[in-house]
Amino acid sequence: MPNIKSAIKRVTTSQKAQDANISQKNDMRTAIKNAKSAVENNADNKQELVNSAVKKIDKAAKSNLIHSNKADRLKSQVMRSN
């Protein structure tokens, strides 16, 4: 555990950022799973779920949570199942 005041602050801010990143990544994964299952079951709202998943993938790629190539691959998978 750090003793210096600025290092203590850095630990807390790093932890907050890590929690936010994990939360955003989990939301993205859930949106992808919901979109794929909606397409498989031919749900009524499948198009809006796909759009939501693509939006969350783009946001994750923009904030460097995932690589841009992975974002493209995930978007392709979601749209292909459409």
Side-chain angles (χ1 to χ4, degrees), residues 60-74:
K62 186 177 181 183
S63 60
N64 290 324
L65 288 180
I66 58 173
H67 196 271
S68 60
N69 291 354
K70 180 173 182 171
D72 293 341
R73 190 172 64 246
L74 289 173

Side-chain angles (χ1 to χ4, degrees), residues 35-48:
K36 286 182 178 181
S37 67
V39 170
E40 286 177 6
N41 298 329
N42 203 11
D44 296 334
N45 60 346
K46 66 181 177 183
Q47 188 58 43
E48 67 184 47

Side-chain angles (χ1 to χ4, degrees), residues 3-82:
N3 295 327
I4 299 170
K5 189 175 184 181
S6 61
I8 294 170
K9 289 179 184 178
R10 175 54 65 194
V11 167
T12 58
T13 55
S14 296
Q15 186 63 43
K16 285 182 186 177
Q18 183 182 12
D19 292 343
N21 289 340
I22 290 171
S23 174
Q24 185 178 354
K25 221 171 189 180
N26 287 341
D27 288 344
M28 180 196 70
R29 289 186 189 123
T30 304
I32 292 169
K33 190 186 299 183
N34 289 341
K36 286 182 178 181
S37 67
V39 170
E40 286 177 6
N41 298 329
N42 203 11
D44 296 334
N45 60 346
K46 66 181 177 183
Q47 188 58 43
E48 67 184 47
L49 287 175
V50 168
N51 291 342
S52 173
V54 168
K55 182 177 180 181
K56 289 185 180 192
I57 293 169
D58 284 335
K59 285 183 79 172
K62 186 177 181 183
S63 60
N64 290 324
L65 288 180
I66 58 173
H67 196 271
S68 60
N69 291 354
K70 180 173 182 171
D72 293 341
R73 190 172 64 246
L74 289 173
K75 288 194 292 186
S76 175
Q77 288 174 2
V78 170
M79 290 181 185
R80 190 173 345 135
S81 62
N82 191 356

